[in-house]
Amino acid sequence: MLRCVIAAAVVALSTASALANSHGGGGATPPPKTETPPSPAKVILTKQGPKLVDLKGMTLYTYERDTTGKTSNCNDKCTESWVPLPATDDAKAVGDFTVISRNDGSKMWAYRYRPLYTSPADKTPGEANGIATTLQWRIARPED
């Protein structure tokens, strides 16, 4: 009989503790979840190796003259051939992606402090026609 009473007491205490924790009694509240902002680009694997693409699958490029990591050297007429990967005014860095300000005051994304661009020569996702125009432009790769 004593064993039954002890077993019942253990079960009652275990159940009360579990109920208290799941219903806000006695336990500390968990910290609020912080949402990680979405990445502005992703890596895809190609026959030539991994490359960065925007969220629509369009190939991203870097410009050899962008060397400071703080600004873009492709401005004005250059942006007709190389479209900066736009960032919203309130965009925040996420992982290896940072936000830089352009000469016109707009924001754009950079990968490891290298500004990112798309090429109007690429008509469909996955194309990489932009590298044919000049050797100063390179496909953005995750190992860069």
Side-chain angles (χ1 to χ4, degrees), residues 129-143:
N129 299 318
I131 58 170
T133 59
T134 175
L135 296 176
Q136 294 181 0
W137 292 88
R138 306 241 189 275
I139 293 174
R141 301 201 181 273
E143 64 269 4

Side-chain angles (χ1 to χ4, degrees), residues 28-32:
T29 58

Side-chain angles (χ1 to χ4, degrees), residues 57-115:
M58 302 304 285
T59 301
L60 293 171
Y61 299 88
T62 58
Y63 186 34
E64 291 297 312
R65 293 186 181 175
D66 289 337
T67 57
T68 67
K70 296 177 183 175
T71 60
S72 165
N73 286 306
C74 179
N75 295 293
D76 304 320
K77 195 128 175 100
C78 177
T79 60
E80 293 173 13
S81 299
W82 299 97
V83 181
L85 184 62
T88 60
D89 287 339
D90 62 345
K92 303 269 188 264
V94 56
D96 286 330
F97 294 96
T98 55
V99 179
I100 62 170
S101 295
R102 299 186 43 73
N103 286 356
D104 63 4
S106 65
K107 307 271 185 189
M108 74 179 291
W109 286 105
Y111 179 74
R112 294 186 180 168
Y113 301 100
R114 301 290 308 259

